Amino acid sequence: MYQFQLNYARQFGDHNVTAMGLAKREEYAKGSMFKNFREDWVFRGTYDYKTKYLFEVNGAYNGSEQFGPGYRFDFFPSVGLGWVISNESFFKAGVFDHFKLRYSVGKVGDDNISGARWLYASQLAFGGQARLGEQTNGTSPYSFYRESVVGNPDIHWETALKANYGIELGFWQNALNVNIDIYNEERTDILMTGAQRNVPPFFGATPPSANLGRVKSKGFEIEVNFNKQLNAFWRLWGNASFSRNTNKIIFRDDAPLLYDYQKQAGYPIGQTRSQISAGFYNNWDEVYASVPTENNDLQKLPGYYNLVDFNGDGVIKADDSAPVGYSGIPQNTGTFTLGADLKGLSFSVQFYGVANVNRVIPFNNYLNNTDILFGHARDYWSKDNPNASSFLPRWKTPGENAGNYFVYDASFLRLRNAEIAYSFDRSEHLKKKNISNMRIFLNGTNLFFWSKLPDDREGTYDGGGATTGAYPTMRRINLGIDFSF
Amino acid sequence: MNFYKSLRSKACIGALLALTVPLNSCEDYLDKAPQADITEKDAFGNFLSFQGFVEEMYNCIMDPNKGGAWNAYLFADETLNNYPYAFDQGNYWGNSGYFFGQTVNTRDNNSRTKRIWEYAWYALRKANLALEKIDEPDLFEGTEEEKNHIKGQAHFFRGWFYFELCRYWGGMPYIDKVLTPTEEMTTEEFKRLTFQETAIKMAQDFRAAADLLPNHWDLSGPGQRTQGHNRDRFNKFHALGYMGKALLYAASPMINEEAKGSNTFDPELAKQAAEAFGELLTLADQTGIYSLQSWDNWTDNFWRWNNERPGGTECIMVPVIFDRGRVRWSTVGATVPSSFAMNSGTNADVPAHSFTKNYGMANGLPLDDPESGYNPNDPWAGRDPRFYRDIAVDGDKIHSAAGPDQFAQLYNGGYHRTTINPPSVTGYYAKRYSPIGPDWSNSRADGLQAYVPYLRLADIYLMYAEAVNFSTGGGPKAKSSNYSLTAEEALNKVRNRAQLPDISTKYTASKEIFFEELIRERAVELAFEGARFCDLRRWNLNGDPRFLDKTAIDFDRGPDGKPVNIRERVIITRTAEKKHNWLPIQVNFTRMFKDFPQNPGW
């Protein structure tokens, strides 16, 4: 890697000016990979007048090896404006003593797509042999050549245009701060991998990545900080924040013949979809009167869920899977922290919560013909228990028609941390022993969890299955002493 | 301060210099690392490299019964398990470790990552690429014979992978060029064809392959480099055999009904099929390259001990052996008694009693023939010799070691019927690929090699008989224009090898009666080979009431060891309607454009 950087900073009376320019070429490689190349030209200029009016402009001219000739470089500018109203002479500072407005708008680029390289170029690869030989473990002397990548000559930068509005308020010499940020973003030319595209199977290769997606998102964040020494003994501090993020897919190369409710366009990224249940079949009459299912219709029993024929075609099948609830990423998140110090004694709690989120956790009874039942089956349907919360478990029979049973409201509130501690830092006795501080504490993480989820996992990876994914969150309680020398 | 200043001015100059560099060079800087490229000349320049390009397609061939730790690969009326099969319930969506759901990886030497759908489309593109590059000017340098080997294999692969796709999912657009990534592919040009239309195109590819490929690679110039190791490389026999097979499928009632509305064999296509088989059989007689295995080593078609390769002189095409260790796990694991401690204890795939009734008597007559001599109270006496090689029954010695596993205890309440988990649910075990018997031991089983053949000569004889029977002017006594055997004689070839007498004249009285015996003969000779599911569907007989019930045999063991109190019990009645002619295509592929629709009824 090498780079040139140019810095400039100067004050002309009330005018402050800075400028920076940077040109960079970067190469890196790890393991046996071919070197990655990147070239960036970046500049920034800032100006402010009496720290009242702030102005900033950035530009980046980025080049990426991902794209073909003619598409490698693109220009990504941004502009920022600020007005510190509380520095104006007409602003009468009282209890309310800090007031600033911010606005920025900019364009950013992305060239990264799941580790793939040289998206524009088709590539051949070498290696491997067929298992052809008279011995049952023999191999052929001929080594494979294969078309490893089919490139897209037209691929180019993904861009996002993002605008941000900010308000900063301060009270009592910043003992109380309130920050509000509102943003909206539009991503265009989103790089989509070939597997996500509407390319028929007979293409015969992983289709090349292409600039196809378009997503709009918006959100806001409010943060309130409080920190005040009340008197010689007491200090109180706290922090609360709340953010909300929503997005909507505008275009995602959906298959044109999909039902609109099964297209990604028009819905948030990761929208949960499921067949929908409308209560149990409580008796054979209801079973016979129900809409037939495409598969396992003869396996239906009272005690299963009557599914909704969402598209009204008279058959329950995959087409009846419709948007349900939210995605797996919470729309609303919030934290709340409160602390107090009284001389050496300190106390704090931190809460964390999310809302507007769903997760699918299919705890299927007797999965793979094992004799495992999950906790939800305790209150199972029976003739005498028609208002059960769970359906009838069945051994070695398919077609339980669970509908959206396993779509859980994944909102939760968690007491993430709590601590009580005492510091002996003022003790003369310790100082004599060269101990500058001794602190005794009792704290815990993940002490309480309120949710409708069947288990305490903040997320799952690997497709989010019930049997895969993240380890459940641990509850931990510590009692300890810290010494500082 | 001075130092800082000078540094800054140098940086300025540097930046200015950099600014004056034309943009071109910036783009060049970002050009791909030159070592990263393999050129077309590297890959297609000569036979050595081009054959390597072609051979990747051999590693796209599915090994039907090794797609998982164990996987179902028989989808008709042959076997049952201790849990219901989705296909028996009419749910053809599942992939069963066989049809789809894997990413193509041809280099992992693992049969469990292979599936038909993904690998076929991958290989088809590759076959088209090979056919495009072999004729590109100034690219390939080699002899005409080398060129023909490459082209012949590519034509064969194109036909063959289409056959694999279409025999399950029905007709497909026949792509015969390399599609470019910027091409519009959701147009009428790429509409799905009927199976019959697709099969005619396959037949053209197989014809081209037959004309280009040698009789055997061991006898050709380019094959000398791999002398003695050419059994799996495609030759004229492969091409003729599959040409006939594709045409016979195309002629079959269900497929003819789909294409032309007539639930009968198409006599013209049947005739073309018969001629393809006739050409193959003539060539086999002339060259002696392929011949039926003798009865004594009939089972070599299916399995051998000591890691020896099965197939003998009869198998024309068998699956590529990705990892010979899979036999012991994937093939054997779920088909021997679970008490043998050779499987995970979750599967026991065993023959349905109803299916074993296809095995006639040693006198060659079917069980329901009044003269057959079949005694329902002594059902396992005097049967077709293949019954005893294929099916283990109560009292058979099935293990060499002393203990409860030494003899099959398959009566109700018996060890293998009730005690072990999972048990045999029908009262039988299948031995075609898991030869349990007096010499079975688990250590021997470790060296067992067992593969489900794709194409063998017995199948060719039977398909020849069927094609001749339904040709224009055909029948049991007819023959094709290019081969000496009549349909009846071709059937007898296979029967005689199994120690059965010639077919009785009462079964050669008409095409229809003869066909019934052909259906039964294919069920027995090709039992557990995966032929049945395709045969029943193409004949429009998948939903025939005779083939719907899958049954178990309940009985007690009498004092002389013979079964008593025999009852036949239906375990499941298969669901097979019109829509089960074809498997459903994964839904996402059917929503891409209107000319690539889902199969009817799904």
Side-chain angles (χ1 to χ4, degrees), chain A residues 72 133 136 140 145 147 198, chain B residues 27 55 125-126 307 309:
Chain A
R72 284 185 182 144
T136 42
S140 168
Y145 282 88
E147 191 184 29
N198 187 45
Chain B
E27 293 238 330
E55 285 195 356
R125 179 182 177 85
K126 195 159 172 117
N307 284 319
R309 178 184 274 273

Side-chain angles (χ1 to χ4, degrees), chain A residues 27 39 69-70 72 118 131 133-134 136 140 143-147 198 203 255 257 294-295 319, chain B residues 26-27 29 31 52-53 55-56 93 107 109 125-126 229 231 233 307 309 321-322 324 591-592:
Chain A
E27 299 171 12
E39 181 168 322
R72 284 185 182 144
W118 309 305
R131 307 293 287 187
E134 192 55 23
T136 42
S140 168
S143 290
F144 295 162
Y145 282 88
R146 62 196 164 85
E147 191 184 29
N198 187 45
F203 181 63
L257 304 182
E294 178 182 42
N295 297 309
D319 286 345
Chain B
C26 292
E27 293 238 330
Y29 175 75
D31 247 328
F53 180 85
E55 285 195 356
E56 193 195 10
W93 287 103
R107 285 147 290 132
N109 292 328
R125 179 182 177 85
K126 195 159 172 117
H229 297 277
R231 185 192 289 264
R233 288 192 179 82
N307 284 319
R309 178 184 274 273
I321 301 175
F322 291 103
R324 65 185 184 188
R591 297 289 156 80
M592 292 182 158

Side-chain angles (χ1 to χ4, degrees), chain B residues 79-90:
Chain B
T79 59
L80 284 162
N81 209 322
N82 69 322
Y83 57 89
Y85 282 139
F87 274 67
D88 287 347
Q89 291 165 329

Side-chain angles (χ1 to χ4, degrees), chain A residues 173-368:
Chain A
Q173 282 91 48
N174 288 337
L176 175 67
N177 283 307
V178 179
N179 293 329
I180 301 168
D181 276 284
I182 301 166
Y183 77 89
N184 62 54
E185 183 183 21
E186 178 165 10
R187 290 169 65 200
T188 50
D189 288 346
I190 294 175
L191 290 169
M192 282 175 61
T193 61
Q196 300 165 325
R197 296 179 52 195
N198 187 45
V199 175
F202 52 76
F203 181 63
T206 306
S209 306
N211 297 89
L212 285 169
R214 186 161 178 178
V215 172
K216 280 185 175 171
S217 40
K218 60 186 179 188
F220 65 83
E221 183 173 355
I222 301 172
E223 197 182 351
V224 179
N225 287 302
F226 179 75
N227 190 341
K228 178 109 179 138
Q229 192 78 36
L230 295 178
N231 55 41
F233 302 110
W234 276 97
R235 190 172 74 91
L236 262 182
W237 54 276
N239 170 299
S241 70
F242 176 81
S243 70
R244 178 176 168 82
N245 299 288
T246 55
N247 63 61
K248 184 172 162 182
I249 295 168
I250 307 300
F251 185 77
R252 195 67 190 164
D253 202 20
D254 286 307
L257 304 182
L258 278 177
Y259 288 102
D260 279 349
Y261 59 84
Q262 289 195 325
K263 285 181 178 163
Q264 296 194 67
Y267 292 92
I269 296 170
Q271 170 68 49
T272 306
R273 285 186 171 79
S274 170
Q275 292 179 333
I276 297 163
S277 52
F280 292 109
Y281 316 113
N282 281 307
N283 52 54
W284 285 105
D285 284 348
E286 288 178 21
V287 170
Y288 292 131
S290 64
V291 180
T293 55
E294 178 182 42
N295 297 309
N296 308 312
D297 191 48
L298 299 175
Q299 311 293 323
K300 291 195 297 197
L301 278 186
Y304 284 5
Y305 291 106
N306 200 348
L307 301 181
V308 174
D309 181 16
F310 198 84
N311 63 353
D313 67 348
V315 188
I316 306 286
K317 53 183 179 179
D319 286 345
D320 297 307
S321 184
V324 175
Y326 304 93
S327 78
I329 296 167
Q331 281 186 350
N332 300 337
T333 57
T335 59
F336 176 67
T337 312
L338 191 64
D341 299 337
L342 174 62
K343 288 178 125 183
L345 190 67
S346 68
F347 157 83
S348 72
V349 288
Q350 185 189 38
F351 291 91
Y352 176 72
V354 303
N356 290 9
V357 56
N358 285 99
R359 264 176 49 217
V360 179
I361 308 174
F363 281 129
N364 288 308
N365 299 317
Y366 306 130
L367 187 65
N368 298 333

